Amino acid sequence: MDIRKITALLSAVCILGSGIALNSEVCIQHSLIAKAAYFDSGEFGDGLRWELDDEGIQKFGGSGEIIDWPWREYEPRIYSQCRIREVIIDKGITKVGFFDYSNYGLEKITILNPDCIICETPDNADPKDSGVISNVRFNGCIYGFSDSTAQTYAEKHGFAFEEIDAASVRKAGDINCDGEFSIADIVLLQKWLIAAPDTELADWKAGDFCNDDVLDIFDLCIMKREYLKQAK
């Protein structure tokens, strides 16, 4: 038996649930995450959140659509004090409204949802089959997956595009793909293992802690152990 499975089996008896939130990092090949103190953060819309660190990296998370950008109406003082050089839009964001970011000095824009709708006009209309070229000027690079809406958007408007690999942005344990490794992922895997009705894993590979391309009780044991370890 694999040593990781033996370890998982032995540790299973001492694993308890915990409700402490985690702050798992996304590891991306072009070093999106900076080890910097947060400049500020907040929530907006319906369950959406933003974080801006002192390196000028702005991250948007949560699930849903970002139509009204927070720098427009939520915390304008933040954006007048810090140059934003990079924006990361997490995979839970399904649509981003139009905004002219020409004057923000952005160097990188990363869109982690390959199907994210990217609005190109001020009316936030669906850009599908649209021939409109927006007046946004961007001299940086857009990062996204191959054949994603990010790639389509970049190529249509003449922006530089760099492909990122799916494995490089996977968060270990985040099987529901909400951008966080939390107790919800553990509960989801437990339900999936007992074949509970209507249980789906958005990213099963994120739960393969044994790295053997099989999801089983051993992965669940290691998953719980890693959750407790990072939550301390």
Side-chain angles (χ1 to χ4, degrees):
M1 181 180 290
D2 187 283
I3 186 64
R4 286 169 296 190
K5 292 191 175 183
I6 295 175
T7 303
L9 186 60
L10 292 175
S11 63
V13 295
C14 63
I15 292 178
L16 300 174
S18 174
I20 304 174
L22 297 181
N23 186 21
S24 303
E25 291 187 350
V26 179
C27 297
I28 302 180
Q29 59 196 14
H30 55 283
S31 186
L32 292 177
I33 302 301
K35 298 277 188 177
Y38 285 124
F39 183 74
D40 213 335
S41 63
E43 297 182 353
F44 67 104
D46 186 12
L48 299 171
R49 59 185 182 275
W50 62 269
E51 298 172 348
L52 176 62
D53 69 23
D54 56 13
E55 295 291 330
I57 299 177
Q58 173 92 66
K59 295 187 288 184
F60 292 97
S63 300
E65 301 180 353
I66 300 179
I67 300 301
D68 295 314
W69 292 93
W71 50 51
R72 274 180 164 173
E73 57 184 284
Y74 289 93
E75 291 287 345
R77 65 181 180 83
I78 296 298
Y79 303 97
S80 63
Q81 298 176 22
C82 181
R83 174 177 174 267
I84 304 173
R85 66 180 183 85
E86 182 173 352
V87 167
I88 303 169
I89 300 172
D90 212 347
K91 55 190 173 184
I93 306 302
T94 57
K95 181 178 181 178
V96 291
F98 174 82
F99 187 74
D100 188 348
Y101 46 84
S102 302
N103 297 321
Y104 278 80
L106 289 174
E107 300 169 6
K108 298 178 181 178
I109 299 175
T110 299
I111 301 176
L112 296 176
N113 179 353
D115 300 313
C116 181
I117 297 172
I118 306 170
C119 298
E120 301 171 336
T121 52
D123 60 0
N124 293 321
D126 191 327
K128 187 176 182 181
D129 300 324
S130 169
V132 175
I133 302 296
S134 72
N135 61 353
V136 173
R137 299 178 305 280
F138 179 52
N139 295 321
C141 184
I142 292 178
Y143 291 81
F145 299 109
S146 177
D147 298 322
S148 64
T149 53
Q151 181 176 11
T152 299
Y153 174 82
E155 293 176 349
K156 176 179 179 180
H157 297 281
F159 301 146
F161 176 79
E162 178 114 1
E163 182 181 337
I164 55 179
D165 180 66
S168 67
V169 298
R170 176 173 289 121
K171 282 185 180 179
D174 183 21
I175 59 175
N176 63 5
C177 285
D178 66 351
E180 301 290 339
F181 173 27
S182 67
I183 194 66
D185 297 293
I186 294 174
V187 172
L188 179 60
L189 182 54
Q190 289 178 157
K191 292 174 64 177
W192 185 84
L193 288 173
I194 63 173
D198 301 320
T199 303
E200 297 183 3
L201 308 182
D203 184 6
W204 72 270
K205 189 62 178 175
D208 184 18
F209 283 87
C210 292
N211 199 28
D212 58 0
D213 293 325
V214 175
L215 276 186
D216 53 28
I217 188 63
F218 301 108
D219 294 298
L220 178 61
C221 292
I222 297 176
M223 187 181 197
K224 290 181 178 179
R225 186 185 67 197
E226 291 302 308
Y227 177 80
L228 290 177
K229 183 190 301 182
Q230 298 179 57
K232 288 182 180 179

